[in-house]
Amino acid sequence: MVQRGQHDERERYARGAEVLAAPVEARPAAAAAASPSPTAGSTLAPRARRGRRGRRRRAGRGRRTLVAVALAITTVTGTAGWAVAHEQPAVTGPPPGASAWRADDSLGRPLPDPATASPTAVARFFAGLTTAEQHTLAQRHPLITGNLDGAPITLRYAANARALAVERDRELARARDGGLTSQGRDRARDRAERYAALLAGDRQILAFDPRDRGQVAEVYGDLTRARRAAVIVPGSDIDLGSYATPTAPATPPRAATTTADRADAGPGDGASAPPADAEAAATPIGMATSLRSELARQAPHTGTAVISWTGYSTPVGLGLDAATGRLARAGAPRLDRFLAGLAVADGAPAAPPTVLCHSYGSVVCGLAAHRIGPDASDLVVLGSPGTRADSVADLGTGARVWAAKDGSDWIGKIPHVELFGLGHGADPASGGFGARRLSTARVDGHAGYFAPNTESVRNFARITLGDFDAVRCAVDSDSTAAEVRGCVSDLL
């Protein structure tokens, strides 16, 4: 059913794009049938004929606008969702517990306000605490400490593990509450299972927010010893429920990692084995594990880490959320703050990370680009509906900008327009945008960019490692062509 729905939507997109590209006079419209005959037109006064022609021109422009708006509204910018959805609330600000945190005077000094303190100020505050004091705060205020950008990395892992356990127990109690409806108990049981899955094994949860649909960021590899790191920003339909869906191996057997990878292994490195197949690589967990595996293959003796960041409220299915920048505007400051915290925290990676933004995630990255330049070395947008910028220069970022879009990706059929706040603007994979266009050989569809053995995931790893001489760019003919060329001689 889902596949049929995807096919139908793609067909509607193709028909809509053809209508948009056709001249106005070639488009079927009721107005054409209502046009006056030549004989009738000859009896009109010149002023009346000019007025009629002006109204027809305005009607033609109106039809073009309506078609573009309709296509923009039906933009699907996610990984897997095709159902019409309601507007989603934008979750912003610190998670529950901020008031208790602000009122805590146990250290004899004010705690940094989680809503206003900069990541630099947070890092400075924690640097002045003893290890015991740090862990006391994590025990007393796990949700705040675990989401406080600038706090020590390993302290956030511990705080989020405690927060997940508290939330799991709360939902288990709700699942046994006879005062709730059966549907309410089922929902509580589902959430408890999701939290339990994130507590399993040695998973490293860098952010966890249970509000609304839930948000989470997870680290794959030893971030505290990483020389190179990447942050993945996924697109629509991703939340705590879909992120934790066991469609990709979250913690595969350690025997699956390579000998070279084990030589650099730290906590959580068991998650670096590749996903079982390309479908698994379409999930946030699969994207991160596939890239982590490719990094280990290309540079087995280099410490690397990948962060899957679902730290914003994503659109669900079709609707205005996917076609507008409302949720992206709410998510961009959260991404900026997360990266700034990563740059200054105790245990941060040695170099600024590469940020890879898929689908609607590229809209978030585009709106955050002017702020994240110092905290990200490279910005890669893939399968993008647009970044709300007309060019690389308009992004205003100091990061190197790359774009990937395969010919098999249906996102290429959407109109790259922005009208009345609908649509996301220019195609970042077009020649005029100014991004370096990456080869996507062997990619299959919108969700296939991180699939093992694709040229795209290999390129993502090369960029993350700073191996620019090995990066391959797209050819103008066929993205699956065997011959690709280098494109970064100016960076060497």
Side-chain angles (χ1 to χ4, degrees):
M1 182 64 69
V2 173
Q3 292 178 347
R4 176 59 182 273
Q6 293 177 357
H7 175 76
D8 291 345
E9 287 295 337
R10 286 194 290 267
E11 288 297 314
R12 284 195 288 273
Y13 255 104
R15 290 196 298 269
E18 290 170 1
V19 171
L20 184 62
V24 173
E25 58 271 16
R27 298 174 192 169
S35 299
S37 68
T39 303
S42 65
T43 65
L44 295 175
R47 180 176 297 179
R49 287 198 297 271
R50 287 196 297 272
R52 180 66 61 84
R53 285 197 296 270
R55 285 193 293 273
R56 283 201 297 268
R57 283 196 295 270
R58 288 193 294 273
R61 287 195 297 269
R63 286 196 296 274
R64 285 195 295 273
T65 300
L66 288 174
V67 170
V69 169
L71 287 169
I73 288 175
T74 55
T75 299
V76 184
T77 50
T79 300
W82 291 82
V84 175
H86 298 293
E87 182 177 81
Q88 300 298 305
V91 174
T92 59
S99 296
W101 168 275
R102 295 187 186 102
D104 190 333
D105 60 358
S106 61
L107 297 180
R109 66 182 110 167
L111 305 184
D113 190 327
T116 61
S118 69
T120 300
V122 171
R124 190 182 306 119
F125 169 80
F126 277 97
L129 301 181
T130 66
T131 301
E133 288 172 331
Q134 291 182 3
H135 283 277
T136 295
L137 288 179
Q139 288 289 316
R140 290 167 63 90
H141 309 283
L143 270 178
I144 297 300
T145 306
N147 290 278
L148 202 54
D149 295 310
I153 300 298
T154 55
L155 184 68
R156 290 180 67 171
Y157 294 159
N160 284 316
R162 176 167 174 77
L164 281 161
V166 170
E167 293 298 320
R168 176 203 58 196
D169 293 345
R170 178 180 291 123
E171 293 300 330
L172 285 174
R174 286 171 51 81
R176 296 189 294 268
D177 185 353
L180 294 179
T181 64
S182 60
Q183 292 88 346
R185 292 193 297 273
D186 288 343
R187 284 193 295 269
R189 192 174 298 107
D190 287 343
R191 291 180 77 90
E193 290 174 357
R194 295 170 193 168
Y195 300 152
L198 291 173
L199 282 167
D202 55 0
R203 298 179 72 166
Q204 302 170 124
I205 306 302
L206 191 56
F208 162 65
D209 191 334
R211 289 178 294 174
D212 194 51
R213 292 158 50 212
Q215 299 178 6
V216 64
E218 185 170 10
V219 177
Y220 298 83
D222 189 348
L223 189 61
T224 63
R225 295 194 298 164
R227 290 172 52 199
R228 297 284 181 170
V231 176
I232 298 174
V233 181
S236 295
D237 299 293
I238 303 300
D239 52 30
L240 196 59
S242 57
Y243 175 90
T245 300
T247 56
T251 52
R254 291 192 178 275
T257 60
T258 65
T259 302
D261 195 35
R262 284 197 297 272
D264 261 342
D269 272 28
S272 64
D277 51 31
E279 183 179 353
T283 67
I285 291 174
M287 292 178 186
T289 54
S290 181
L291 178 56
R292 179 69 170 75
S293 178
E294 183 62 26
L295 288 167
R297 187 189 70 80
Q298 292 187 22
H301 301 294
T302 298
T304 58
V306 179
I307 303 171
S308 177
W309 184 81
T310 306
Y312 75 105
S313 301
T314 67
V316 173
L318 294 174
L320 285 175
D321 279 349
T324 67
R326 180 181 66 89
L327 294 179
R329 284 191 294 272
R334 295 175 72 84
L335 176 60
D336 169 42
R337 186 177 178 86
F338 176 80
L339 293 172
L342 199 62
V344 299
D346 180 27
T354 293
V355 181
L356 301 117
C357 317
H358 179 239
S359 200
Y360 190 86
S362 67
V363 187
V364 178
C365 292
L367 292 172
H370 67 284
R371 293 186 295 265
I372 67 176
D375 302 320
S377 61
D378 295 85
L379 186 64
V380 186
V381 295
L382 45 138
S384 172
T387 60
R388 302 219 147 215
D390 292 329
S391 66
V392 167
D394 285 343
L395 290 174
T397 182
R400 290 174 289 263
V401 181
W402 313 76
K405 184 177 71 174
D406 191 71
S408 65
D409 188 345
W410 55 258
I411 204 79
K413 294 183 179 179
I414 72 167
H416 284 278
V417 297
E418 186 176 351
L419 288 167
F420 311 127
L422 297 170
H424 303 299
D427 180 2
S430 65
F433 191 83
R436 293 178 174 85
R437 294 181 292 166
L438 297 170
S439 171
T440 58
R442 292 179 292 280
V443 164
D444 183 16
H446 185 59
Y449 293 95
F450 286 89
N453 301 316
T454 56
E455 194 66 30
S456 53
V457 78
R458 291 172 179 169
N459 276 327
F460 301 158
R462 292 162 183 155
I463 294 169
T464 301
L465 294 167
D467 186 11
F468 300 120
D469 192 29
V471 174
R472 295 293 177 263
C473 272
V475 292
D476 293 331
S477 55
D478 183 359
S479 64
T480 62
E483 295 296 324
V484 292
R485 58 182 176 85
C487 62
V488 290
S489 58
D490 57 323
L491 297 179
L492 302 179

